[in-house]
Amino acid sequence: MTMQEYIDKAEKVLMHTYSRYQIVLDKGEGVYLYDTNGKKYLDFAAGIAVFALGYGNKEYNDALKNQIDKLLHTSNYYYNVPTIEAATKLSKASGMDRVFFTNSGTEAIEGAIKLSRKYFYKKNRHAESEIISMNHSFHGRSMGALSITGNAKYREPFEPLIGGAVFAEFNNLDSVKEKINENTCAIIVEPIQGEGGLYPANPEFLKGLRKLCDEKDIVLIFDEIQCGMGRTGTMFAYQGYGVKPDIVTTAKALGCGVPVGAFAAVEKVASAFEPGDHGTTYGGNPFATAAVSKVFDLFQSDNILDHVNEISGYLEEKLDGLVNKYDFIVERRGKGLMQGLEFNKPVKDTIIAAMDKGLIIINAGANILRFVPPLIITKENIDEMIIILESCF
Ligand SMILES: *Cc1c(COP(=O)(O)O)cnc(C)c1O
């Protein structure tokens, strides 16, 4: 079939929830993708910050193949070895005491909401709790996660959503303080806002939130679904800030392509959950957690964090070069290999032109180009990206 025939077929059977770019991707190799015509693309999107290790890593693929032949699924009525190993590695990497695996990011958020509500309920014996989240935040598409997502456009068509969602201003501690009352059970924040436009939190903001939460026994949740798993040069972004949350959510690069997420918590909060409070059929099955386990191993054996720290300065320098050179580029924002270029106009035409020239790149909001490449990119890849991008301006 031609690419257009595939696309026509897709538009007949798939729900119209995306305006997809007009290519059909077929295979991946390292940091390159190929469409069904065999055209090659340098990938600076990584399936939205998912493929940290690039495509076709042999050790990773072998681990999954072995697990397929062994055991795909057990249900959570029983223990299985990959889940135990993955949880141990995630707990060590995050500094959290207990882990719950989910199938997606949004489910990790659901779990974090439920756990913090249960913690509040156990303490206060009533359920009139509130969660403070930030304007321009993104936490997912399921009803709970949507309720605390700071973008009214996403929320409004689906109201009524869950109650007790309160919004404050990102990087504005006073705005958060104003919203706190005796029913505040949690504060949730992305240490680097992703979908909202690549805004890193100020260190004082996160430190201030930690202090507030300690004083008032409020659960601090960091949503690291996008910014975690090495993307900013530490395993989790909060480690770079030196501020530890009570609950962290992760997904995207956690499985590097296998759909899996998790929320992990410190014992004090995690212990609020009792058997029966939460569950999932698939979550943390041996196939998904074999992926997670191998991802953590490869991060270590391939020194991924060192590489991110080495390479991200180069990406920043090159992007800053573009900011200085082109007056339609307003600024660069971000941390590590999670960067954005804000234009004074929509970036959609640039993205389409880049695709035509063999570069896959995404946006975050209409005017912002987002750079979330595989963490294994090299200087040569960055040079190649810059050349293609400039040829589109
Ligand atoms: C992608 C994302 C989510 C939602 O994850 P899904 O796997 O798409 O459900 C939540 N929070 C942040 C910060 C994200 O980037």
Side-chain angles (χ1 to χ4, degrees):
M1 266 202 272
T2 67
M3 241 168 32
Q4 193 54 52
E5 283 165 347
Y6 278 123
I7 291 168
D8 293 343
K9 206 170 164 178
E11 288 306 317
K12 276 204 197 97
V13 294
L14 294 174
M15 287 209 191
H16 289 152
T17 50
Y18 302 98
S19 8
R20 289 178 215 263
Y21 295 108
Q22 299 294 297
I23 55 173
V24 184
L25 292 171
D26 194 38
K27 66 169 189 167
E29 221 177 83
V31 296
Y32 292 94
L33 283 165
Y34 296 82
D35 68 21
T36 49
N37 291 339
K39 182 177 164 183
K40 186 178 178 183
Y41 302 86
L42 174 63
D43 182 17
F44 261 70
I48 320 185
V50 166
F51 278 94
L53 303 168
Y55 303 96
N57 181 296
K58 186 168 182 326
E59 251 189 80
Y60 171 85
N61 286 3
D62 285 345
L64 292 187
K65 287 173 192 166
N66 289 339
Q67 193 59 46
I68 286 174
D69 288 337
K70 221 171 163 185
L71 184 63
L72 276 178
H73 180 78
T74 58
S75 97
N76 284 307
Y77 288 167
Y78 316 98
Y79 299 97
N80 72 77
V81 177
T83 301
I84 298 166
E85 284 180 350
T88 306
K89 289 169 192 173
L90 174 54
S91 158
K92 187 157 172 256
S94 63
M96 296 289 131
D97 298 310
R98 294 186 186 277
V99 174
F100 185 103
F101 286 109
T102 65
N103 309 292
S104 66
T106 203
E107 283 170 86
I109 297 290
E110 297 295 324
I113 294 171
K114 280 183 72 177
L115 179 57
S116 42
R117 279 192 171 187
K118 184 72 197 298
Y119 179 77
F120 180 92
Y121 179 80
K122 253 183 123 171
K123 193 173 56 178
N124 299 291
R125 286 286 143 208
H126 72 87
E128 299 296 307
S129 64
E130 293 180 356
I131 296 180
I132 300 175
S133 72
M134 305 303 141
N135 290 326
H136 308 295
S137 61
F138 181 83
H139 298 298
R141 303 292 197 153
S142 52
M143 296 302 269
L146 187 60
S147 307
I148 56 167
T149 283
N151 183 335
K153 194 187 90 187
Y154 289 158
R155 291 196 312 265
E156 270 169 19
F158 304 102
E159 287 170 352
L161 296 167
I162 67 165
V166 176
F167 295 95
E169 218 169 295
F170 187 65
N171 274 339
N172 182 337
L173 203 57
D174 288 333
S175 154
V176 177
K177 278 183 192 160
E178 277 168 27
K179 308 282 171 161
I180 289 179
N181 62 40
E182 71 280 4
N183 290 337
T184 306
C185 89
I187 298 173
I188 182 165
V189 61
E190 296 156 84
I192 294 108
Q193 287 192 332
E195 307 300 310
L198 287 303
Y199 287 97
N202 299 326
E204 313 78 61
F205 180 60
L206 295 189
K207 288 188 178 119
L209 289 181
R210 181 67 274 174
K211 192 159 167 275
L212 276 176
C213 288
D214 285 340
E215 283 164 8
K216 299 180 189 293
D217 197 18
I218 294 167
V219 175
L220 182 59
I221 307 169
F222 285 167
D223 179 352
E224 295 236 6
I225 290 169
Q226 191 160 162
C227 65
M229 292 305 290
R231 186 145 291 278
T232 67
T234 49
M235 208 61 213
F236 290 94
Y238 59 79
Q239 291 154 340
Y241 282 97
V243 180
K244 193 175 158 185
D246 302 303
I247 303 178
V248 63
T249 58
T250 170
K252 291 198 165 87
L254 179 67
C256 282
V258 167
V260 59
F263 62 102
V266 296
E267 180 65 28
K268 179 180 158 195
V269 174
S271 61
F273 264 173
E274 292 156 77
D277 278 341
H278 199 49
T280 161
T281 300
Y282 268 138
N285 87 4
F287 180 68
T289 49
V292 173
S293 193
K294 186 47 85 176
V295 167
F296 279 114
D297 291 350
L298 287 168
F299 261 78
Q300 260 193 345
S301 60
D302 296 358
N303 297 313
I304 299 290
L305 295 181
D306 288 346
H307 179 70
V308 172
N309 287 312
E310 261 171 50
I311 200 82
S312 50
Y314 190 70
L315 177 62
E316 286 181 358
E317 186 189 311
K318 289 290 167 178
L319 295 177
D320 284 341
L322 298 181
V323 178
N324 291 333
K325 195 163 161 190
Y326 298 98
D327 55 7
F328 56 85
I329 306 179
V330 181
E331 68 167 349
R332 174 189 66 78
R333 287 193 296 268
K335 217 171 176 215
L337 292 182
M338 183 173 177
Q339 297 285 339
L341 279 186
E342 179 164 353
F343 283 29
N344 64 9
K345 57 178 185 186
V347 295
K348 186 153 191 214
D349 291 347
T350 305
I351 291 175
I352 290 170
M355 228 165 49
D356 197 47
K357 294 178 187 222
L359 169 68
I360 288 186
I361 195 161
I362 49 177
N363 65 313
N367 290 7
I368 300 157
L369 272 188
R370 172 167 33 167
F371 302 81
V372 285
L375 303 184
I376 57 166
I377 50 151
T378 62
K379 279 188 175 177
E380 290 70 36
N381 298 145
I382 293 172
D383 291 340
E384 187 187 350
M385 179 276 288
I386 295 284
I387 289 169
I388 300 178
L389 201 55
E390 280 203 80
S391 75
C392 301
F393 290 164

